[in-house]
Amino acid sequence: PTPTHLGRAHPNPNPNPKVIESLSDSTIYMAYYTVAHLLQGAGNMEGASTGPAGVPPEAFTEAVWDYIFLGGAGSAAPDCDVPADVLADLKGEFEYWYPMNLRVSAKDLIPNHLTMALFNHCEIWKNRPEMWPQGMYANGHILVDAEKMSKSKGNFIMMNEGVADYSADAVRFACADAGDTWEDANFARATANAAILSLTTELDFINETVAAIRGGAPALRNTELPAWTFFDRCFANDMNKCVALCDENCANMKFRDALKAGFFEMQLARDRYRDWASQTGAGMHAGLITRWIEAQVIMLAPFCPHWAEHVWRNVLAKGESVLKASWPAAEPEDALVSQMQAFLADAVKDFRRSTAKKAKGGKKGKGAAPAKKQTAAAVYVANEWLPWKQQVLGWMRAYYADNGDSFPKTFIKELKDYLMDEANGLKAQMKFGMQFGNYIKPIVEQVGPSAMAETMPFDQAELLRQHADYVAKQLELETVRVYGAEDDEAPGDAKKRASAEPGRPQIALL
């Protein structure tokens, strides 16, 4: 409590003209909200008339309030002028709605209002801790384009102005993307403008796709599940991860992260799938893309309810509001599919980088003949690590397990000591061993201990062979052939073949 000379408050118990300010935000006024609709009713903020309960204010003695708020189950009603049925209703309302699940306030109120609110609740309901606040959330201040809002700067955005300039959904989208912690949130005008374009683009895509599905367009496959391609499985797995992560972040009030998973990551998943369907000519699976559309709309509904409602009712022709739709179902992530997908994506990225460097080579200068465009490539795949790397991996597996499935801060020092130990026979590989350990460690922290296996958990060569045409199109080549790194008859660069490692295939233009 804060001592002050003014205000309605309790007098200081010792001879002092000051009173103790109760800090209204720190009291239990939230408890009154649970019964205000019966005592005052709508349009009666000042209490000028008797509310729906039909009981005048003077009937509410301390004994009545003690019964409503403090009595607990089975307590005897006081002798008062409030009818028994009204008392029962008031008590029932309080018991139903309290405690408050969440108190949202500003970070500068943590050392006063919010702390005192906890103290007051703990004292008043000392014997009923279930009535204490269940959660408190502190926000930072709001910036506009990374600057403090100020009328003098002309960057003060009123709510109605923001809605008029960007639409309600775009404002909500930008607010969700502004940040969640007690660091100052940044409302970016560019984000609001981009949201308008993104939502419009998605509406066009959904309209076109739904029309194609209903019209039986040949570009979409309608095979019965689970007759899926590998990329179908990847797309379904991506959706499962996005749905679960969006749900988790919404529950934890991390709305920027929820928007990232529920919109941006979903967009990337769809774009990868659509690109594969276009590159291979296989077409998207109608059932999967329908699932994606419905999940996308539901996950955007908390952020962009007007857009989501329009798509749900008018485009998808659902009978009820999107607000009544169940959260999308999601299977647990298939870690193996995720690893295979990452392997293929990383391989294509590395191949593209390698072939681009090769294409830039050759003779240069005036009069030099233009480099002949190469149309074929050989990919080399290694199934096992070199013996000394297998030894390092074995030590890493044991070290990881001994430290509670984690790498402590001493990992680098311990690895160096292991490599330097004459008994281990790896001193000659000191430099490369340190590089190898530093390469594997973050992969383990991302995908788990499977990254330390001596062999990959899937057939890399077979995966690449199955999608050789896709890889070729990504690299603008005519053919890509896959060989084992141990195959001495394989065409191309022998050094490239020798440098292949599990999870890191190499490519050579032919």
Side-chain angles (χ1 to χ4, degrees):
T2 304
T4 180
H5 289 279
L6 303 173
R8 296 180 179 179
H10 297 290
N12 201 322
N14 52 40
N16 192 313
K18 293 184 178 181
V19 294
I20 300 176
E21 158 60 11
S22 63
L23 292 171
S24 61
D25 278 3
S26 311
T27 64
I28 61 164
Y29 70 91
M30 311 85 171
Y32 178 73
Y33 290 166
T34 65
V35 296
H37 62 292
L38 297 177
L39 302 184
Q40 291 180 231
N44 188 27
M45 179 65 72
E46 301 298 328
S49 59
T50 302
V55 183
E58 54 269 18
F60 286 85
T61 62
E62 287 194 21
V64 171
W65 288 120
D66 286 348
Y67 172 73
I68 296 171
F69 292 151
L70 305 179
S75 59
D79 184 11
C80 62
D81 295 332
V82 181
D85 59 332
V86 174
L87 272 178
D89 287 344
L90 294 170
K91 186 175 183 60
E93 289 291 304
F94 171 74
E95 293 289 339
Y96 178 84
W97 290 109
Y98 230 63
M100 54 179 172
N101 299 87
L102 180 67
R103 173 84 169 96
V104 180
S105 191
K107 64 180 181 181
D108 53 310
L109 300 183
I110 293 175
N112 43 58
H113 298 266
L114 300 181
T115 302
M116 300 309 293
L118 291 174
F119 289 168
N120 287 332
H121 277 81
C122 291
E123 175 60 26
I124 293 172
W125 283 284
K126 63 177 66 177
N127 297 321
R128 297 191 67 189
E130 70 273 15
M131 289 300 179
W132 299 351
Q134 300 298 293
M136 289 191 174
Y137 193 98
N139 291 316
H141 299 108
I142 300 178
L143 307 177
V144 173
D145 294 334
E147 290 187 337
K148 183 178 179 180
M149 277 201 295
S150 170
K151 289 183 179 179
S152 63
K153 292 183 178 180
N155 68 342
F156 198 93
I157 301 177
M158 300 299 291
M159 186 65 72
N160 58 340
E161 294 172 358
V163 171
D165 290 343
Y166 307 108
S167 80
D169 281 358
V171 169
R172 292 170 64 93
F173 188 102
C175 284
D177 193 57
D180 301 305
T181 66
W182 61 20
E183 297 299 321
D184 293 341
N186 180 40
F187 181 92
R189 290 186 175 95
T191 300
N193 278 319
I196 298 172
L197 179 60
S198 295
L199 294 175
T200 303
T201 301
E202 284 314 304
L203 180 59
D204 290 343
F205 169 79
I206 293 172
N207 275 319
E208 293 169 4
T209 305
V210 170
I213 292 172
R214 290 172 180 167
L220 295 170
R221 289 178 289 118
N222 287 287
T223 53
E224 291 293 327
L225 305 184
W228 289 350
T229 67
F230 172 69
F231 285 96
D232 289 338
R233 292 165 60 200
C234 292
F235 186 41
N237 196 47
D238 284 342
M239 281 193 280
N240 288 334
K241 290 188 290 184
C242 289
V243 169
L245 192 55
C246 183
D247 184 29
E248 177 185 345
N249 284 316
C250 280
N252 292 324
M253 294 178 291
K254 296 180 178 178
F255 299 114
R256 178 164 56 185
D257 291 340
L259 185 65
K260 178 183 176 183
F263 181 73
F264 294 111
E265 293 294 338
M266 282 283 282
Q267 297 287 299
L268 292 174
R270 188 275 315 276
D271 291 347
R272 286 192 296 268
Y273 184 59
R274 183 169 54 180
D275 177 66
W276 165 80
S278 174
Q279 290 278 350
T280 62
M284 296 186 292
H285 192 289
L288 279 175
I289 201 63
T290 298
R291 179 194 169 198
W292 181 90
I293 291 171
E294 293 183 355
Q296 179 66 101
V297 173
I298 293 172
M299 287 193 288
L300 262 186
F303 308 107
C304 305
H306 307 88
W307 180 90
E309 188 71 13
H310 168 71
V311 175
W312 194 254
R313 284 182 179 271
N314 301 329
V315 181
L316 301 180
K318 301 291 186 179
E320 290 190 316
S321 168
V322 68
L323 302 180
K324 294 184 178 180
S326 299
W327 190 257
E331 298 291 331
E333 176 188 359
D334 188 326
L336 182 59
V337 170
S338 293
Q339 192 171 355
M340 294 169 70
Q341 181 183 10
F343 165 80
L344 187 58
D346 290 344
V348 169
K349 183 170 64 177
D350 290 343
F351 294 165
R352 187 180 291 116
R353 186 185 302 115
S354 179
T355 54
K357 288 181 180 179
K358 182 71 174 178
K360 289 180 181 179
K363 295 181 179 180
K364 295 188 173 90
K366 189 174 181 180
K372 182 180 178 181
K373 181 176 174 60
Q374 292 168 292
T375 60
V379 170
Y380 312 111
V381 177
N383 292 317
E384 293 184 347
W385 297 100
L386 294 174
W388 73 264
K389 290 186 176 181
Q390 292 186 28
Q391 186 176 341
V392 173
L393 287 172
W395 176 84
M396 288 181 67
R397 287 194 298 271
Y399 184 78
Y400 184 81
D402 291 344
N403 287 278
D405 290 342
S406 67
F407 290 118
K409 294 180 180 180
T410 57
F411 168 75
I412 298 299
K413 179 183 180 301
E414 298 284 353
L415 174 59
K416 182 179 180 180
D417 291 343
Y418 175 77
L419 295 171
M420 291 293 290
D421 190 336
E422 295 282 358
N424 297 321
L426 294 174
K427 195 171 183 179
Q429 301 293 345
M430 174 67 189
K431 177 182 176 181
F432 300 111
M434 294 298 294
Q435 292 174 348
F436 182 63
N438 279 317
Y439 164 70
I440 294 293
K441 177 178 177 287
I443 301 177
V444 174
E445 292 170 338
Q446 182 179 6
V447 304
S450 63
M452 294 180 287
E454 294 180 2
T455 59
M456 295 289 283
F458 57 89
D459 191 330
Q460 308 163 84
E462 183 61 25
L463 181 62
L464 287 168
R465 289 190 184 103
Q466 289 175 357
H467 302 98
D469 290 343
Y470 170 73
V471 173
K473 288 182 179 180
Q474 287 286 307
L475 302 178
E476 298 181 352
L477 298 171
E478 293 180 5
T479 58
V480 169
R481 299 190 184 282
V482 182
Y483 302 90
E486 71 286 352
D487 185 355
D488 293 334
E489 302 299 320
D493 190 335
K495 289 184 177 180
K496 282 279 188 181
R497 180 163 55 85
S499 64
E501 295 178 331
R504 300 180 71 183
Q506 298 296 315
I507 190 170
L509 291 174
L510 302 177

